[in-house]
Amino acid sequence: MHIGLVGLGKMGANMRERMRRAGIEVTGFDRNPDVTDVPTLEALVQALPQGERVVWVMVPAGAVTDAVVTDLAGLLAPGDLVIDGGNSYYQDDAGHAALLAEHGVGFVDAGVSGGVWGLENGYGLMVGGAADDVARAMPVFDALRPEGERADGFVHAGPVGAGHYAKMVHNGIEYGLMQAYAEGYELLAAKDLVTDVQATMRAWSKGTVVRSWLLDLLVQALEQDPAFTEIDDWVEDSGEGRWTVDEAIELAVPAPVIAASLFARFSSRQGESPAMKAVAALRQQFGGHAVRAAGADTVTPTAPPTSEA
């Protein structure tokens, strides 16, 4: 089988390599001349066998994916197939599928999980689309997924949009899991009683009910930087956590853990929190509670409140 791959960043380049190791011929295109196999998107399409072209798109979600899908719609022919493996918003998939369908081109959306470890371990795959299109791309999915039973690392989740919807929820769960592990780490580190935090968390990695790959990665990170002195506490969000919370609101599904983990990321980006300043001021006003002056290291008492509240 011979497929095209658009986008050779950290994940895309590893996916190209994993497919090649499985015997699939891959022609990749990227704007970075150091990693691309062909100079243009047009050259990529021309390099693929006519009448059975499959192009996997692995570029940032949003405008970049929109542009690539639009360009491919004008370059491909009836019977060809596009797979969007990026972190696209699931509601965008219907528009991409409709645009390609005007040219007789099929569309499959693929949620991909595995990060930089996917080259060696394989990728978890959640796909959406017509059964015939998914079946046609199955050799690619089998090459990318982990070894073992297909159902342990691959699912045809439903029609177009289902793959990215499943990946969105997956990432929302990931937010909550990471936040729980991080809060547990901070509690262990805050208590002088526990003398080896890294070893304590490592001891959870086999046999306990909280064991997981994320826990293994946290243990590894602590081994490399025991007090996290080499990194800042700024935490970005990819967008899928926000989409998950939006969807929970839309469907009236309570998701307090995922929502709280998203908001915790927002708080990490504040040098000073205006909201917490307001809370401190309110506590001072209604209860005369002590506050800390800006820039001070200690809490100083304040005068009793003047309001009867």
Side-chain angles (χ1 to χ4, degrees):
M1 185 174 188
H2 184 186
I3 79 161
L5 178 60
V6 181
L8 300 171
K10 288 182 291 186
M11 282 189 67
N14 282 347
M15 292 169 72
R16 175 177 62 177
E17 177 61 22
R18 186 171 176 87
M19 285 188 281
R20 285 176 173 172
R21 291 180 184 180
I24 293 177
E25 185 177 356
V26 184
T27 299
F29 168 69
D30 194 280
R31 291 182 178 180
N32 181 353
D34 295 330
V35 299
T36 194
D37 297 322
V38 290
T40 64
L41 188 62
E42 292 84 351
L44 178 143
V45 171
Q46 292 170 5
L48 299 177
Q50 292 188 6
E52 52 185 70
R53 298 186 186 99
V54 177
V55 180
W56 187 298
V57 177
M58 202 69 191
V59 299
V64 178
T65 295
D66 293 343
V68 172
V69 170
T70 299
D71 288 345
L72 286 173
L75 294 170
L76 295 174
D80 293 340
L81 177 66
V82 172
I83 304 170
D84 177 10
N87 282 333
S88 294
Y89 186 38
Y90 79 96
Q91 291 189 4
D92 292 341
D93 291 329
H96 293 156
L99 173 62
L100 292 166
E102 294 176 3
H103 300 266
V105 177
F107 177 81
V108 169
D109 59 287
V112 181
S113 180
V116 296
W117 298 88
L119 173 58
E120 300 301 330
N121 299 338
Y123 301 89
L125 302 170
M126 301 140 268
V127 307
D132 290 346
D133 289 335
V134 173
R136 178 179 171 190
M138 194 57 71
V140 177
F141 298 138
D142 281 341
L144 291 173
R145 66 174 176 81
E147 295 180 2
E149 289 190 39
R150 180 184 288 166
D152 291 338
F154 169 87
V155 63
H156 181 190
V160 166
H164 282 146
Y165 188 89
K167 178 57 163 47
M168 177 191 72
V169 175
H170 164 283
N171 280 25
I173 294 170
E174 180 185 293
Y175 274 48
L177 290 172
M178 285 193 290
Q179 187 64 27
Y181 284 130
E183 291 173 8
Y185 157 75
E186 185 169 355
L187 279 168
L188 290 171
K191 190 72 171 178
D192 292 338
L193 188 64
V194 177
T195 57
D196 194 332
V197 174
Q198 189 269 348
T200 300
M201 301 195 84
R202 181 178 178 180
W204 298 347
S205 63
K206 297 286 194 303
T208 76
V209 297
V210 299
R211 64 188 185 274
S212 77
W213 186 48
L214 283 174
L215 176 61
D216 294 342
L217 292 177
L218 178 56
V219 169
Q220 179 175 301
L222 284 167
E223 190 174 63
Q224 296 169 352
D225 184 7
F228 293 140
T229 57
E230 298 179 6
I231 58 175
D232 190 68
D233 63 353
W234 177 285
V235 182
E236 193 54 83
D237 68 286
S238 63
E240 297 210 24
R242 300 188 190 207
W243 299 339
T244 306
V245 172
D246 288 344
E247 197 70 18
I249 294 170
E250 177 68 23
L251 297 174
V253 172
V257 172
I258 295 174
S261 66
L262 174 64
F263 296 145
R265 295 193 181 195
F266 295 165
S267 67
S268 77
R269 305 170 203 169
Q270 295 180 307
E272 292 184 341
S273 171
M276 296 315 295
K277 285 187 175 184
V279 171
L282 284 168
R283 292 181 75 249
Q284 179 187 22
Q285 289 298 316
F286 71 70
H289 299 289
V291 294
R292 177 180 293 182
D297 294 327
T298 59
V299 176
T300 56
T302 60
T306 56
S307 169
E308 293 182 357

